[in-house]
Amino acid sequence: MMYTYVDTEYAPEKCSLCNGTGHAEGGICEVCGGQGDVLVAQPAIACPLCSGSGNMNIGTCRACGGGGWVLL
């Protein structure tokens, strides 16, 4: 399913922080709110800073907010 907001199309993509499960770090995933996916501007681009993982050595990736996707 596609959504259009202000000339930008968005579609659900799997949340990288919880790997689509909706749960991370023993609770509900704070990135996707337990849904397992996040709305991402299309075409979807994996975050170049964390390589789409949503994580960095120091914690959640600041560039993508943990979702693993960016709008360039």
Side-chain angles (χ1 to χ4, degrees), residues 2-72:
M2 294 285 272
Y3 304 89
T4 301
Y5 302 102
V6 190
D7 297 329
T8 302
E9 289 186 343
Y10 291 83
E13 300 285 349
K14 183 170 71 170
C15 177
S16 293
L17 189 65
C18 69
N19 201 29
T21 65
H23 294 87
E25 299 177 13
I28 293 175
C29 178
E30 59 188 45
V31 174
C32 67
Q35 298 299 311
D37 59 344
V38 291
L39 281 180
V40 179
Q42 298 299 308
I45 300 170
C47 178
L49 189 61
C50 68
S51 299
S53 72
N55 288 302
M56 301 289 289
N57 291 340
I58 56 172
T60 302
C61 178
R62 293 185 321 243
C64 66
W69 307 96
V70 292
L71 175 62
L72 295 177

